[in-house]
Amino acid sequence: MGMGGFAAPGQAPLVRLERVAKRFGPVTVLDDVTLDLYPGEVLVLLGENGAGKSTLIKMLAGVHEPDSGRILVDGSPVTLGSIHAAEALGIATIHQELSVVPQMSVAENVLLGHTPSKGGLVDRKALRAQARAALALVGFDDVDVDAPIGHLGVVRQQLVMIAKALSRQSRLVILDEPTAALTGAETEILFGLMEDLRRRGVAMVFISHHLEEVARIGDRVAVLRDGRLIDTVAAETPQDELIRLMVGRSIDNHYPRRRDYDGADDVLLDVRSLNRRGTLHDISLTVRAGEVVGVAGLVGSGRSELIRAIAGADHYDSGEVVVEGHPVLSGRIAAAIDAGIGHVPEDRKSQGLVLPASVAENIGYATMAATSHAGLVDRRGQRSRAGAVAERLRVRMRDLDQAVRDLSGGNQQKVVFARWALAGSRVLLLDEPTRGVDVGARVEIYEFINEVTAAGGAVLMVSSDLPEVLGMSDRVLVMNNGRIAGERDAATATQDDIMTLAASALGDELTPGSGRGGTTVTSLEGSLAPVATPRPTPDLAPDPAPHLDKDLR
Amino acid sequence: MTTTAPAPSTPDPGPATSGSDRATATASSSTTARLRRFASDNGALLGLLVLCLALFIATPHFLTGPNLLNVGIQAAAIAVLAFGQTFVIVTAGIDLSVGSVAALSSMICCWMFVNTPLPGGIALVLGLAAGLLTGVVSGAAVAYGKLPAFIATLAMLSVARGLTLVISDGRPIDTPGAVSFLGGSLGPIPVPILVLIVAGVVCAFILNRTVMGRSMYAVGGNEEAARLAGLPVKRVLVTVYGLSGLYAALAGMLLAGRLNSANPQAASGYELDAIAAVVIGGASLAGGSGRASGTLVGALILAVIRNGLNILNVSSFWQQVVIGLVIAAAVGIDVLRHRRGS
């Protein structure tokens, strides 16, 4: 619990960042930041994507060196030139993305980089013993340390990596969004560990997008915006105020859904008895002109698979997809696009964008062939049209030639939307449209969804962000175990309604392997995590307050 | 929401410079910036110029007309192979078979000419078609058979070389006139240099201007994203290997034309020089980048080094050592530059 308020505790700081700055090429990502970290204190770093949080923690972890300013540990200046140098000073980092070697054993992963050896040979006995001791720190007594860590499931892998960081006698532990993949119960285990560390006088830096976690675990909050430290406040500061500090303005309406299309409500997307072995069972749905239909459900319920099958990204075994009266055959992406479908996939980096290519090219891929003459790209035309849609979606970029890789997450996502805006897609299939998108860009994406429906378009939106589903949809379909378990009116449904439908009758036939890889296992594994508690069904549900925006409404 | 909507608020940015460049930068600073960007984008070209300058200082024989033409002729076959290889590497693939395909194509052409009543021109076209076909086969194995490119083209390397030996029974075959012409001169200009220029211009044109070319970059940059954007990924892959085979066949004809015979061991090991030229020219084996101009510079660097070391009487054994170091240095510098840039 927050104890200290925002005033510095009356002791000497363990680590002090003094006027540190960092530039990458022409871009200043961190500017004149001074920050003290105290033993036994959890400092929460808040900021939108691109505010400089990751650069700051990478400086502490020894990945980046500051261009100016200095870092002091115990009052004396240090050079954290490498991860090893930082580790030697007792600084450990738990990264948001797993850094494990899946083929190696749990024990080898825990001690990777510090493998005990005798005369150059691995000391297997010591390896196992040290690994078990580390895992005991997080209450992980039942893990087979000889099993490949890849067999564990993502959540348990993450807890193993946390054990690894904690086992190093660390004095400063940096936790970069460790709760992103954890369920409520697992997050509580982590917070328990953090409280234990706090009692032992370990300093912690904690990054999270869940604002409700700030007051739960934090002591002080440092808010970054555009590379500057805006303010340091007490963890009990109201969430509205924290948001105002992060975004620089108040956001009044976080889900500005407007339904102001008054044309004929034709069925634009008609899905009839769609089946895909192991993932989709007899799915029928319609989306009408001017309508946003949300799809809720647990990870592994078939949400993404449904979107992908309709978009042609995956084959379906039987059933029919009809877009504005035109049937779209299974697995035909180009035909689906021609029929008017625009698919914003789940992961923009691996599925949505060609990162090294320019903004203009990424916007133009879906229309490049249709606007070509004799196989030649209409370069001028495509460019000016791409410029127009980029402006309409307010993509913040240096120019149209900038590589998409260099844009922030929100702007990258807008580029994916811009591609379909340029194609004139009338049916948008959105899979987690605002995942990893900061608050400001998020509202701009919502406004674009409103524009599409106001012009008579139709939107089918999958999201694990329940407030988003309820706030931006007109109707909500709830998927469970590859089936549509029910439909609710978004205006009257509550999160509890949706979760009850989503988690009801989770039977044995729910097989993790039938989904698409690790993500499926994540949430299902959630209940299998090494908790001493029995296995209550609600634990399978995402955190009842899945995203910070929940509290913004 | 329509594809024909004009850009109301942005004036046409023009083909070469970006809008914001013009808007924000003063004339002088944008010139410096453009120069700096040019230098950073064309590190290999600067390297080539430095290399030429060094050889010019080291020996008077380097910068003479006949010798430079000689460099061009020596560069031609590798450059043509490398242009074809550029298509493949842009899509994050690799084609190990180009040396063997070059030999096979020229051998098929000459065998047809000697053993059938076909005229030399037709035999030449059939030889080129054979190269295209082998490329399409490799491409189909990659795109539809899901074989790794390394394996598919390694297999083709062996198959094509073997077929060359089978057809020729291990002996060289004389070339038709149409092929010998490719080894000759048109007025003062050697034909291989003309072929090199045409092949390079066509390569650049395909990569920059055509839908297929831009799709190659998309597939190389992120195959899944390209697929989900509706691009015909498999057709793109078959096309790049087909083009690589066609370019390899053309290179094979150049080599045969120079010697007036198709040799069963021709172009052995040339695939590695071709890959080296592409990589020295700034392409990444990870895909999504690479340009015809860079590849040309890469091929010229290899030819200039060989030529210069010959003039300086350095043994061919040491030449291999030097070329290896140049490849490592060129790519190392590139990696460093990108690390600093990002």
Side-chain angles (χ1 to χ4, degrees):
Chain A
M1 276 279 123
M3 52 169 196
F6 67 93
Q11 48 189 343
L14 171 68
V15 176
R16 178 177 173 84
L17 295 164
E18 200 172 271
R19 310 201 62 176
V20 293
K22 183 79 192 169
R23 278 172 292 278
F24 293 112
V27 186
T28 303
V29 290
L30 216 52
D31 191 9
D32 196 21
V33 170
T34 299
L35 195 58
D36 290 324
L37 308 173
Y38 295 93
E41 184 202 48
V42 177
L43 179 90
V44 181
L45 264 190
L46 272 189
E48 295 194 281
N49 293 330
K53 291 175 309 217
S54 10
T55 308
L56 189 96
I57 59 170
K58 279 179 179 164
M59 261 180 199
L60 287 169
V63 178
H64 295 317
E65 284 191 63
D67 293 330
S68 62
R70 51 186 195 156
I71 300 174
L72 299 95
V73 176
D74 295 326
S76 31
V78 294
T79 312
L80 300 172
S82 69
I83 294 172
H84 257 284
E87 278 183 356
L89 286 165
I91 300 175
T93 308
I94 294 160
H95 292 286
Q96 174 185 6
E97 274 136 27
L98 281 173
S99 41
V100 301
V101 187
Q103 298 86 355
M104 291 172 74
S105 74
V106 171
E108 284 170 309
N109 271 287
V110 169
L111 291 157
L112 201 61
H114 305 267
T115 309
S117 62
K118 263 187 199 158
L121 301 177
V122 175
D123 181 353
R124 299 210 156 267
K125 217 169 154 188
L127 180 77
R128 285 199 193 94
Q130 290 179 25
R132 284 205 187 95
L135 291 170
L137 286 178
V138 292
F140 242 41
D141 300 318
D142 57 339
V143 173
D144 176 7
V145 295
D146 295 322
I149 196 166
H151 290 189
L152 276 191
V154 178
V155 172
R156 304 189 97 190
Q157 289 180 31
Q158 181 140 16
L159 288 171
V160 169
M161 294 323 276
I162 290 170
K164 169 182 176 169
L166 300 186
S167 68
R168 296 272 158 73
Q169 299 296 313
S170 308
R171 302 169 67 204
L172 169 64
V173 177
I174 301 162
L175 303 107
D176 184 2
E177 289 198 53
T179 57
L182 302 187
T183 64
E186 290 148 359
T187 301
E188 280 307 314
I189 299 179
L190 175 67
F191 285 171
L193 285 170
M194 288 174 72
E195 271 155 14
D196 190 35
L197 288 176
R198 173 152 56 198
R199 276 190 294 277
R200 287 197 260 151
V202 173
M204 279 164 279
V205 176
F206 181 72
I207 294 185
S208 171
H209 279 299
H210 300 242
L211 274 193
E212 67 279 2
E213 291 176 359
V214 170
R216 163 75 182 78
I217 194 66
D219 297 313
R220 276 191 306 151
V221 182
V223 183
L224 291 172
R225 190 200 318 149
D226 298 331
R228 289 166 199 275
L229 181 64
I230 297 300
D231 204 350
T232 308
V233 296
E236 293 80 8
T237 307
Q239 296 188 354
D240 282 346
E241 173 65 8
L242 292 177
I243 300 224
R244 197 189 58 74
L245 290 170
M246 279 165 65
V247 185
R249 60 191 153 93
S250 302
I251 290 187
D252 305 324
N253 188 355
H254 293 275
Y255 299 104
R257 173 72 188 136
R258 286 188 312 279
R259 193 173 183 181
D260 42 15
Y261 169 71
D262 49 10
D265 61 345
D266 302 335
V267 171
L268 292 196
L269 176 65
D270 189 358
V271 175
R272 299 170 193 158
S273 318
L274 207 62
N275 283 287
R276 175 175 162 82
R277 198 141 57 104
T279 52
L280 301 174
H281 306 289
D282 198 26
I283 305 262
S284 295
L285 62 90
T286 56
V287 188
R288 293 177 178 276
E291 196 180 31
V292 176
V293 174
V295 180
L298 304 181
V299 174
S301 63
R303 302 174 311 186
S304 284
E305 288 79 0
L306 173 62
I307 290 275
R308 287 176 60 86
I310 298 173
D314 291 338
H315 281 276
Y316 52 83
D317 300 325
S318 65
E320 241 186 319
V321 173
V322 181
V323 179
E324 294 197 66
H326 304 288
V328 176
L329 296 181
S330 166
R332 301 283 177 81
I333 296 172
I337 292 170
D338 287 345
I341 281 182
H343 174 203
V344 175
E346 188 176 9
D347 181 346
R348 63 182 156 270
K349 284 190 176 159
S350 69
Q351 301 166 337
L353 294 166
V354 179
L355 290 174
S358 69
V359 173
E361 290 231 58
N362 271 286
I363 293 178
Y365 283 135
T367 42
M368 180 168 68
T371 58
S372 66
H373 306 287
L376 302 187
V377 177
D378 173 17
R379 295 202 296 180
R380 279 179 169 235
Q382 279 291 86
R383 204 188 148 79
S384 70
R385 289 187 290 268
V389 290
E391 186 156 329
R392 198 175 125 205
L393 275 146
R394 298 195 215 150
V395 178
R396 282 171 197 85
M397 58 189 172
R398 201 174 57 230
D399 57 46
L400 282 170
D401 296 320
Q402 189 174 11
V404 162
R405 176 190 283 135
D406 299 334
L407 300 185
S408 74
N411 284 303
Q412 287 181 343
Q413 190 74 337
K414 288 189 213 163
V415 169
V416 183
F417 276 90
R419 176 183 300 156
W420 303 119
L422 182 56
S425 307
R426 298 244 296 151
V427 178
L428 290 185
L429 307 176
L430 312 180
D431 199 349
E432 304 287 358
T434 63
R435 176 183 281 176
V437 170
D438 48 50
V439 185
R442 189 181 278 233
V443 172
E444 285 167 350
I445 285 174
Y446 293 151
E447 289 295 352
F448 176 73
I449 292 175
N450 282 336
E451 278 180 42
V452 168
T453 55
V459 175
L460 185 66
M461 177 178 76
V462 160
S463 174
S464 30
D465 184 348
L466 276 185
E468 173 177 89
V469 171
L470 290 173
M472 279 308 295
S473 310
D474 303 321
R475 282 188 289 139
V476 181
L477 303 174
V478 183
M479 285 192 72
N480 183 337
N481 212 354
R483 292 185 169 80
I484 291 183
E487 179 182 327
R488 293 287 181 271
D489 183 344
T492 54
T494 65
Q495 294 192 27
D496 286 344
D497 294 343
I498 305 287
M499 281 327 304
T500 309
L501 269 176
S504 61
L506 268 181
D508 295 327
E509 53 183 312
L510 193 53
T511 45
S514 63
R516 286 182 301 118
T519 44
T520 310
V521 181
T522 307
S523 75
L524 298 175
E525 275 268 332
S527 63
L528 310 175
V531 202
T533 53
R535 184 185 170 185
T537 315
D539 269 359
L540 285 170
D543 194 328
H547 280 273
L548 58 88
D549 292 50
K550 176 236 172 191
D551 308 274
L552 310 182
R553 294 220 293 162
Chain B
M1 290 290 285
T2 80
T3 52
T4 50
S9 47
T10 18
D12 181 11
T17 59
S18 62
S20 77
D21 264 357
R22 283 190 313 179
T24 57
T26 65
S28 68
S29 78
S30 98
T31 311
T32 344
R34 213 170 297 154
L35 270 179
R36 196 176 305 145
R37 186 185 286 187
F38 180 84
S40 137
D41 286 354
N42 294 276
L45 182 60
L46 295 183
L48 177 63
L49 294 177
V50 169
L51 199 57
C52 289
L53 189 68
L55 284 170
F56 170 65
I57 293 168
T59 161
H61 301 297
F62 176 71
L63 202 64
T64 60
N67 188 55
L68 289 185
L69 286 181
N70 203 19
V71 170
I73 293 169
Q74 286 172 350
I78 295 292
V80 171
L81 285 175
F83 288 137
Q85 188 77 246
T86 306
F87 296 119
V88 177
I89 287 180
V90 161
T91 65
I94 196 151
D95 189 349
L96 296 176
S97 70
V98 291
S100 299
V101 169
L104 175 63
S105 308
S106 60
M107 191 59 76
I108 286 176
C109 163
C110 295
W111 187 90
M112 292 268 195
F113 177 67
V114 171
N115 294 289
T116 69
L118 290 172
I122 302 290
L124 174 64
V125 171
L126 286 175
L128 294 176
L132 177 68
L133 183 68
T134 56
V136 167
V137 170
S138 297
V142 172
Y144 296 95
K146 308 277 179 212
L147 288 187
F150 191 98
I151 302 301
T153 60
L154 184 64
M156 183 56 80
L157 175 150
S158 185
V159 168
R161 183 66 67 186
L163 287 177
T164 312
L165 290 163
V166 168
I167 292 169
S168 65
D169 204 15
R171 282 188 290 272
I173 304 182
D174 288 344
T175 52
V179 174
S180 301
F181 167 78
L182 292 177
S185 282
L186 209 62
I189 316 273
V191 176
I193 294 184
L194 295 175
V195 171
L196 177 157
I197 292 168
V198 172
V201 168
V202 169
C203 173
F205 185 79
I206 291 175
L207 284 175
N208 292 326
R209 298 296 187 91
T210 64
V211 172
M212 182 52 79
R214 301 319 296 170
S215 303
M216 293 174 193
Y217 286 96
V219 169
N222 186 342
E223 186 174 323
E224 179 66 2
R227 190 177 81 89
L228 292 183
L231 299 182
V233 172
K234 288 180 172 148
R235 211 187 312 153
V236 170
L237 288 175
V238 172
T239 305
V240 295
Y241 288 92
L243 281 170
S244 178
L246 180 63
Y247 269 72
L250 184 60
M253 301 304 168
L254 289 179
L255 289 168
R258 294 255 295 138
L259 298 171
N260 285 315
S261 71
N263 190 312
Q265 290 302 341
S268 192
Y270 278 30
E271 56 276 352
L272 299 182
D273 271 8
I275 293 165
V278 177
V279 170
I280 291 173
S284 159
L285 289 179
S289 68
R291 288 183 304 173
S293 58
T295 296
L296 174 64
V297 170
L300 287 176
I301 285 179
L302 291 178
V304 165
I305 290 173
R306 288 222 169 86
N307 176 271
L309 296 176
N310 274 334
I311 296 178
L312 296 172
N313 263 327
V314 176
S315 89
S316 64
F317 301 160
W318 278 108
Q319 288 186 20
Q320 293 199 29
V321 175
V322 172
I323 286 180
L325 295 176
V326 167
I327 294 170
V331 177
I333 290 168
D334 209 47
V335 169
L336 279 180
R337 214 180 56 217
H338 280 114
R339 193 179 299 159
R340 208 177 320 135
S342 61

